[in-house]
Amino acid sequence: MRRVAAAIAGMAALAVVPAAALTVATAPPAAAHDVLVSSSPAEGAVVSEPLTVVELTFNNPVSTEFAQVSVLDAAEGEHQQGEPTVVGPTVSQAVDQLPDGDYTIAYRIVSSDGHPITGTVSFTVAGAGGAPAETPSDGGAPADEETPDSAPTTEEAEPPPSASPDTTPAGASDDGDGMGTTAIVLVIVAAAVVIALVAFLAGGGRRRGTSEDTGS
C-alpha cells in the first residue's frame, strides 16, 4: 500500500511540472509603455528653413484625447498655435514663425496602455526665422524709432525769420524821396522869389525917394 501511494504521489508531481510550464508559456506578455521613435525636428537638429509644424511619432497609435504639445523658447515663451492633431502614432503641432534661437518641444500623451507619457525634444533655429527682437539699451531708443532730438516738435522748432510785408508800392520809396526833394527846391525857389520881390520893392522905393529929393 505504501508503494502504491508513493507512486501516485510521484505521478501527481510529474503532472504539476508540465502544467506550470504550460501556464508560463501561454501567459500574455506584460504591456509596455509607448515610446517616442522619431521627431521633426529631431533631437539636437539645427533648422535653417521656415518651420510651421513639429511632429512626434511613437511606436504605437496614441490616444486622440489629452495630447498636449508646447514649443518653448529659451525664456520659456510659448510658440504653438492651437491644439495638436493626433493621427495614429503621429502627433502634429502647428507653430508660429520661430526667430533664431534654441527651442524645446515638451509633450504629454496617453500611451496605448492607458499610461501618460511625457518628454522633451530640443532643437535650434538658425537662419530660418526673423532675427530676435533687440532690446534697447538704457537711455536709448529702438533703431526704428526717432529720438526726440532728431525731430523737434512744432512747439520747439523756431519759425524762420520772415520779412515784414512791404505795403509800399514798387517805386514809392524813390518817388517819395523825389517829392521831398522837389518840395524843398520849391520852397527855396519861393523864398528866393519873395526875397527878390522884397528887394525889388525896396529898391524901387529908394529910387522914388531919391528922385523926389532931387526934384525938390
Side-chain angles (χ1 to χ4, degrees):
M1 292 293 297
R2 292 179 178 176
R3 291 179 179 178
V4 173
I8 293 173
M11 293 176 63
L14 292 176
V16 169
V17 173
L22 180 62
T23 301
V24 173
T26 57
H33 296 334
D34 294 343
V35 295
L36 181 69
V37 295
S38 65
S39 65
S40 177
E43 172 69 32
V46 177
V47 179
S48 59
E49 297 180 356
L51 186 66
T52 59
V53 65
V54 297
E55 293 183 348
L56 305 169
T57 302
F58 297 86
N59 62 328
N60 289 310
V62 299
S63 173
T64 58
E65 299 180 352
F66 310 114
Q68 299 177 1
V69 179
S70 299
V71 180
L72 310 175
D73 56 26
E76 296 188 357
E78 298 185 359
H79 295 271
Q80 70 274 5
Q81 291 184 352
E83 300 296 327
T85 301
V86 179
V87 179
T90 302
V91 181
S92 302
Q93 175 64 62
V95 296
D96 298 326
Q97 182 178 4
L98 302 178
D100 293 353
D102 297 328
Y103 295 89
T104 300
I105 304 172
Y107 63 87
R108 183 183 187 279
I109 59 101
V110 176
S111 174
S112 57
D113 63 358
H115 290 83
I117 299 174
T118 61
T120 60
V121 176
S122 300
F123 66 96
T124 300
V125 174
E134 296 181 358
T135 303
S137 59
D138 294 341
D144 58 349
E145 295 182 3
E146 295 182 355
T147 59
D149 294 339
S150 62
T153 61
T154 304
E155 295 180 357
E156 296 175 351
E158 296 181 358
S162 59
S164 59
D166 189 1
T167 58
T168 304
S173 177
D174 295 340
D175 293 344
D177 293 342
M179 291 177 65
T181 303
T182 302
I184 294 173
V185 171
L186 292 176
V187 171
I188 293 173
V189 171
V193 170
V194 171
I195 293 172
L197 181 59
V198 171
F200 174 76
L201 293 175
R206 290 193 190 96
R207 285 194 295 271
R208 289 176 183 175
T210 304
S211 300
E212 291 176 358
D213 293 339
T214 306
S216 62

